[in-house]
Amino acid sequence: MTRLLSTYRLQFRNGMTLGKAVRLVPYLHALGASHLYASPLMTAVSGSTHGYDATRVDEIDPTLGGIEALRQLAAELHAQDMGLILDIVPNHMAASLENPWWRSLVAWGSDSPFARHFDIDWTEKLTLPFLGKDFAEELADGTITLALEPGCDALALRYHDSYYPLHPDTYPQVLDAAEAFFTSATPSTDPQGRAILSDVLASGSARAELETQLAAVAVDPARIVAVHDAQPWRLVNWKTASENLSYRRFFEIAGLAGLRVEDKRVFEDSHRLILELVRDGTVDGLRIDHIDGLADPQGYLERLRTEVGPDVIILVEKILERQEHLPSDWPIAGTTGYEFITALADAFADEKEDGRLAAAFDALKSDDDRHAYSDEMYACKRQMLADNFRGEVRRLGRLAKRVADRLNADFSRSALTEAICAVIIALPVYRTYLASGRSIDPRDHDILATARCEAQVRVRPEVREAIDLIWELLTDEKTCEKISDCIEFRTRFQQLTGPIMAKAIEDTLFYRENAFIALNEVGGDPGHPPGGPAAFHAAMQDRAGNWPLGLSATSTHDTKRGEDARARLYTLSEAPEEWVAAAQRWRALSSHEGKAPAADIQWLIYQALAGTWPIDGRDDRAAMAALPERMKAYVEKALREAKRRTNWSEPDLDYEAGVTGYVENLLSDTAFIEDFTRTLSPFIDAGLSNALAQTLVKLTAPGVPDIYQGSERSDFSLVDPDNRTTLAMERLRIPSKPAPSRTHFADYKQWLTAKVLGCRGQFAEVFHGPYEALELSDGGHQALAFLRGTTDAFAITVVPRLVFGKMSAGTLCLSEAAIRDISLAIPPAFEGRTVRSVLDDRTLTLGSALPLSDLFRTDPVALLISA
């Protein structure tokens, strides 16, 4: 099996097929990637742009080429000694009639053979939240009627182009000859309910007679209501999903229904094809999407590891907060690497910025919006619990009340619900990992103990005792052994905390607190100032010792901005006064354009523009022409995610149009463009230096470098879907070494990536070895350096940092003045060793100190390998 050295993430769909991927293999091999890391390939909802909404888990999507094309891709990869990692989605499937399992449970209700595959509360009717209005309104509008489903011998309620199959037991309410109705179809013989009327419609005239009957029923709304009321499901307005959904959804997406993969049969049915592809050698590794959504992540991973064997790579999508550690007993290689991005912020943002950007941003807010960061975070969590997830909260409250009654604990449901919310608000991580039959991990115990104490400070006195009961339900094994509902409470509590954290922090707070958006990244903590090189080195020491095979990501399909945009935005922390002055000038410059958005919204717009502004400015006509639409889409998303004056469910289109109109005016204002371009110029140069520095760090630091499609050249994208554009395959050729300049940035970055990955492949043990931070004579202000390996074989990485205003004209290298008299301290054990400079092929002999002027003589960054 191919050793995991580096991955190349490829987003399928949006024009990328398995056939096209085959043609990319020679390039990926030349680049130095050891594994192609594929987005989900299972058949998904028609028109899916991402594949996380699977309708068939037993089929590779024919629109991508099908299973034979996948096998061909794997064969091409293996012929080049490369591997294939497949992104799989065990947590959910599409709640779509295109999904045979979902259609079956709509047709047969709880009698369906797949009724227990999904996490559904069958004590009530299955809610189908796919109407644009309430049922009665839609019926009055004539959008709902009875119909014979096209291509089927079955009755359905038709809503536009969707046909919701009727349960066979309710057919007599539709058919005139009710007493004569008979069907031989059963849930086992016809699980999708497509042949219910096959016996009735055997004659040619029967179909016409049935159509006549249905036409007569269609003009009787009361009859349609009665038929609808008789179903095991009910059609409801999509906006009500947050309060009355009968199944577990993925985050807020009602179109994605949770699977009960903890059940052995569901695991087997949902993983049959995946395991076949692993066992026959087609797939070499698995990336597990949304591991925190599962009832028992560790139990799932242990079962999966047993099925695939000890050598198959397993990576999990898991967001770690600062100081949070991945459970050490999970049988995996590591995470997909969001925590690495957080560490890079420590390395490249100025730790001495002292909150000047935050102070300037805070001054822009209205009095009503001016809150401490922690208070705003708690407010966002409360909003999610009260509004977006109130149905899930209500269900937890009911569960807690049942357990409390069994324990003879006299608490009202409202007090228990408030206590649950208080604990979730205080929880500092996405979730804990309590599971039946396993003792509580000390880490989880401490996290919950801290949350309990903090929650009690923030509630009414009468709720504090209820919090103590919630603590008992979560941590006391004896209580859970006595009461089965306690186990369900634990599970659902933990499945809710992750979505609350994600939607409150990533998708609300990070669009409100925009002081320094370079830190507003998945897993990031804008409320915590960057820790500088010391914090970065500590994180890498931990990574080398515990998770050396975890991915090191800089861009993904879910990051808030592309890696090079983020690298540029780090530089704002180096020159906050310049940025604040410029922002004030731009606000004054644009005031004549009419009503402008609030000053804090303008601040966000300027930063977003700074991150994605074309390197060549107006000279890049294509990029400038595309920028208004990209920015308008970004701003619309930012405003809706912030959930202040507009949101996704009830958008204020006039308000949004005003803000996007402001963006359009900005980008057509010659004075603004000239000023912005001039002001941004030194930030662009410093940002490009940062981008190359973080690239070399990613390629040589502990972990497995992960390259998001196309980002080996450049990635100045905004949040999705801007970052999921079609890969420009025609540009994917490794160039000869170019000059490190603005003009040749993309070529140089691509060349650098290939050069270093080639070195990493040749000296794999070195880059899998120990990590040692190296000191600089200026205390690490101007550069970051570390050593990998041992005295037998080693590599030294040195990159610049805090380079704003210190660039040599016409290049991306630090000026001679910036690095004069600064040297790298060489550990005594390595003195006298001969090393080769990988980027310019020079040979050097190490003394006790190595001047930066020697290291950065020809290139913006340096990598030395022992000779």
Side-chain angles (χ1 to χ4, degrees):
M1 184 170 289
T2 302
R3 184 171 186 174
L4 181 61
L5 300 176
S6 57
T7 57
Y8 191 94
R9 169 75 178 199
L10 203 57
Q11 291 294 112
F12 286 87
R13 301 178 168 82
N14 302 315
M16 179 55 66
T17 65
L18 291 162
K20 287 184 179 179
V22 168
R23 300 202 298 273
L24 277 175
V25 171
Y27 166 74
L28 298 181
H29 181 258
L31 187 67
S34 70
H35 288 72
L36 189 155
Y37 164 25
S39 67
L41 300 176
M42 302 298 180
T43 297
V45 171
S46 298
S48 173
T49 60
H50 47 76
Y52 290 95
D53 45 1
T55 56
R56 297 278 300 271
V57 289
D58 59 347
E59 180 180 72
I60 301 301
D61 203 326
T63 65
L64 301 178
I67 194 165
E68 291 309 314
L70 174 62
R71 294 193 192 282
Q72 182 185 358
L73 173 60
E76 293 291 331
L77 290 166
H78 295 154
Q80 297 284 358
D81 196 26
M82 298 170 67
L84 174 63
I85 296 174
L86 180 59
D87 192 343
I88 65 170
V89 190
N91 176 69
H92 54 264
M93 289 182 71
S96 164
L97 294 171
E98 294 180 39
N99 180 347
W101 293 3
W102 186 260
R103 180 193 163 88
S104 175
L105 60 88
V106 173
W108 293 101
S110 59
D111 295 327
S112 164
F114 302 103
R116 286 0 182 234
H117 279 52
F118 295 92
D119 192 354
I120 297 171
D121 180 4
W122 285 109
T123 63
E124 56 182 274
K125 290 189 174 187
L126 175 67
T127 46
L128 301 177
F130 306 117
L131 299 182
K133 305 175 185 177
D134 292 340
F135 185 88
E137 293 178 87
E138 294 284 6
L139 186 60
D141 290 344
T143 57
I144 295 176
T145 188
L146 282 164
L148 188 62
E149 185 174 356
C152 297
D153 291 337
L155 296 177
L157 272 185
R158 178 182 177 179
Y159 176 63
H160 294 299
D161 293 329
S162 296
Y163 291 81
Y164 295 90
L166 305 185
H167 193 289
D169 287 352
T170 68
Y171 276 44
Q173 292 185 291
V174 180
L175 302 174
D176 287 343
E179 67 283 351
F181 172 70
F182 169 78
T183 180
S184 59
T186 67
S188 58
T189 61
D190 182 16
Q192 293 187 53
R194 294 183 177 275
I196 308 301
L197 292 171
S198 292
D199 300 316
V200 175
L201 299 177
S203 69
S205 61
R207 187 174 297 272
E209 292 175 8
L210 180 58
E211 295 282 8
T212 300
Q213 286 188 42
L214 292 176
V217 174
V219 298
D220 185 353
R223 186 94 169 263
I224 294 176
V225 168
V227 170
H228 176 251
D229 289 346
Q231 302 309 311
W233 43 263
R234 57 194 179 97
L235 286 166
V236 298
N237 188 328
W238 69 271
K239 292 182 180 180
T240 67
S242 62
E243 52 185 318
N244 62 8
L245 208 61
S246 62
Y247 58 89
R248 178 172 59 87
R249 55 186 172 158
F250 170 71
F251 287 11
E252 297 176 275
I253 305 175
L256 297 176
L259 286 172
R260 296 181 61 251
V261 75
E262 66 275 11
D263 180 274
K264 182 180 179 182
R265 181 188 167 198
V266 178
F267 178 92
E268 291 172 349
D269 287 350
S270 60
H271 286 66
R272 189 167 288 111
L273 177 58
I274 294 164
L275 296 178
E276 176 189 328
L277 293 170
V278 170
R279 289 165 182 161
D280 69 13
T282 301
V283 171
D284 305 283
L286 299 172
R287 182 263 199 192
I288 313 304
D289 182 66
H290 191 44
I291 190 69
D292 278 350
L294 305 185
D296 179 11
Q298 181 172 337
Y300 168 82
L301 291 169
E302 289 172 348
R303 176 176 284 173
L304 183 64
R305 174 58 71 196
T306 298
E307 294 292 340
V308 302
D311 299 325
V312 171
I313 303 155
I314 300 178
L315 298 158
V316 298
E317 184 203 27
K318 164 65 190 168
I319 299 167
L320 296 166
E321 293 297 290
R322 276 189 180 272
Q323 311 306 320
E324 181 185 2
H325 296 285
L326 191 63
S328 58
D329 49 357
W330 284 8
I332 60 174
T335 74
T336 53
Y338 291 121
E339 67 278 6
F340 186 76
I341 298 175
T342 303
L344 287 173
D346 288 328
F348 293 108
D350 192 345
E351 68 274 24
K352 297 180 181 179
E353 185 266 335
D354 294 330
R356 282 170 285 177
L357 290 170
F361 176 70
D362 201 49
L364 300 175
K365 298 179 184 177
S366 67
D367 291 340
D368 290 340
D369 292 333
R370 194 174 291 127
H371 306 287
Y373 181 86
S374 59
D375 291 338
E376 189 67 39
M377 177 176 66
Y378 294 135
C380 290
K381 286 189 173 184
R382 278 194 294 272
Q383 182 176 345
M384 288 298 105
L385 288 160
D387 298 338
N388 302 54
F389 291 89
R390 57 183 175 271
E392 287 85 348
V393 170
R394 189 161 52 238
R395 185 175 188 178
L396 270 178
R398 289 196 301 265
L399 271 171
K401 177 61 175 170
R402 284 209 300 267
V403 177
D405 289 347
R406 291 279 303 278
L407 293 171
N408 296 316
D410 187 19
F411 294 107
S412 67
R413 195 169 81 185
S414 63
L416 290 166
T417 301
E418 190 173 340
I420 290 165
C421 291
V423 175
I424 291 176
I425 289 168
L427 199 70
V429 296
Y430 278 70
R431 71 164 283 172
T432 51
Y433 299 96
L434 317 172
S436 178
R438 286 199 299 268
S439 58
I440 185 171
D441 187 279
R443 161 196 166 276
D444 285 341
H445 186 278
D446 291 347
I447 288 171
L448 288 168
T450 300
R452 172 195 187 187
C453 292
E454 185 173 329
Q456 288 179 323
V457 171
R458 294 174 174 271
V459 298
R460 299 176 288 115
E462 54 266 36
V463 178
R464 290 173 187 162
E465 289 187 15
I467 289 175
D468 289 335
L469 177 64
I470 300 304
W471 158 264
E472 179 182 345
L473 301 188
L474 292 172
T475 62
D476 192 306
E477 288 299 324
K478 292 182 180 178
T479 298
C480 265
E481 287 173 2
K482 289 188 296 185
I483 304 173
S484 60
D485 283 340
C486 181
I487 296 172
E488 184 181 358
F489 175 82
R490 276 188 182 181
T491 298
R492 298 201 179 281
F493 178 90
Q494 293 178 113
Q495 286 178 307
L496 178 59
T497 60
I500 294 299
M501 191 77 157
K503 299 306 293 184
I505 308 303
E506 294 171 39
D507 292 340
T508 305
L509 184 66
F510 283 4
Y511 291 95
R512 293 182 180 180
E513 293 297 312
N514 297 310
F516 184 27
I517 64 173
L519 304 183
N520 291 14
E521 194 49 84
V522 179
D525 182 4
H528 186 285
F536 174 81
H537 290 314
M540 293 305 103
Q541 288 278 13
D542 178 74
R543 194 171 177 82
N546 295 308
W547 300 104
L549 293 179
L551 296 190
S552 299
T554 42
S555 292
T556 78
H557 57 290
D558 282 332
T559 44
K560 299 300 182 186
R561 53 199 50 86
E563 59 192 55
D564 298 323
R566 193 184 315 113
R568 184 186 293 173
L569 289 169
Y570 289 147
T571 67
L572 302 188
S573 66
E574 300 177 52
E577 289 86 1
E578 287 90 334
W579 181 257
V580 171
Q584 291 172 342
R585 193 168 63 249
W586 298 328
R587 289 202 305 276
L589 190 65
S590 60
S591 62
H592 68 278
E593 297 291 349
K595 186 177 180 181
D600 59 327
I601 300 297
Q602 294 180 56
W603 179 272
L604 168 64
I605 291 168
Y606 301 147
Q607 284 194 70
L609 276 173
T612 197
W613 196 258
I615 294 173
D616 296 324
R618 285 182 296 178
D619 292 340
D620 189 341
R621 294 183 180 180
M624 288 298 293
L627 192 55
E629 289 306 314
R630 291 177 60 211
M631 279 297 299
K632 284 162 64 178
Y634 170 79
V635 167
E636 178 187 274
K637 179 165 184 167
L639 295 174
R640 291 184 182 184
E641 296 287 18
K643 304 173 185 69
R644 279 186 164 145
R645 291 188 56 179
T646 187
N647 56 53
W648 291 106
S649 60
E650 296 179 347
D652 184 333
L653 299 181
D654 290 338
Y655 168 66
E656 293 175 4
V659 180
T660 57
Y662 171 78
V663 170
E664 202 164 23
N665 288 337
L666 274 183
L667 295 175
S668 62
D669 185 328
T670 302
F672 169 79
I673 291 174
E674 288 179 353
D675 190 347
F676 196 83
T677 300
R678 184 172 52 253
T679 302
L680 202 61
S681 185
F683 290 102
I684 287 177
D685 287 335
L688 296 177
S689 174
N690 273 355
L692 297 176
Q694 80 172 357
T695 296
L696 182 59
V697 168
K698 175 176 75 171
L699 298 176
T700 58
V704 175
D706 174 44
I707 301 164
Y708 184 67
Q709 60 175 31
S711 65
E712 71 274 24
R713 287 187 54 81
S714 67
D715 185 359
F716 294 96
S717 61
L718 299 163
V719 72
D720 66 276
D722 189 57
N723 63 1
R724 301 186 189 186
T725 54
T726 304
L727 185 64
M729 294 176 62
E730 66 279 2
R731 293 186 176 183
L732 299 184
R733 294 183 297 274
I734 309 300
S736 300
K737 183 178 181 180
S741 64
R742 271 198 194 197
T743 304
H744 300 296
F745 167 75
D747 283 343
Y748 187 90
K749 185 183 178 191
Q750 187 179 23
W751 172 84
L752 175 68
T753 300
K755 189 74 173 177
V756 177
L757 284 181
C759 180
R760 188 181 179 106
Q762 187 178 356
F763 300 98
E765 292 305 324
V766 168
F767 295 99
H768 191 68
Y771 178 94
E772 181 178 352
L774 298 180
E775 296 182 359
L776 287 113
S777 60
D778 72 339
H781 178 83
Q782 200 62 78
L784 178 83
F786 54 83
L787 182 148
R788 302 297 312 279
T790 66
T791 53
D792 293 332
F794 62 92
I796 295 175
T797 294
V798 189
V799 299
R801 64 185 299 267
L802 308 185
V803 299
F804 180 84
K806 302 173 185 176
M807 308 298 295
S808 181
T811 79
L812 299 179
C813 299
L814 278 169
S815 68
E816 183 180 342
I819 54 179
R820 185 182 296 132
D821 299 328
I822 301 175
S823 59
L824 174 68
I826 302 299
F830 297 88
E831 288 183 30
R833 295 294 300 274
T834 301
V835 295
R836 179 174 61 86
S837 174
V838 173
L839 303 187
D840 60 11
D841 211 29
R842 288 181 296 133
T843 299
L844 298 85
T845 300
L846 299 178
S848 60
L850 185 56
L852 290 190
S853 57
D854 282 355
L855 285 166
F856 297 150
R857 181 176 298 175
T858 60
D859 291 273
V861 295
L863 175 63
L864 308 178
I865 195 79
S866 55

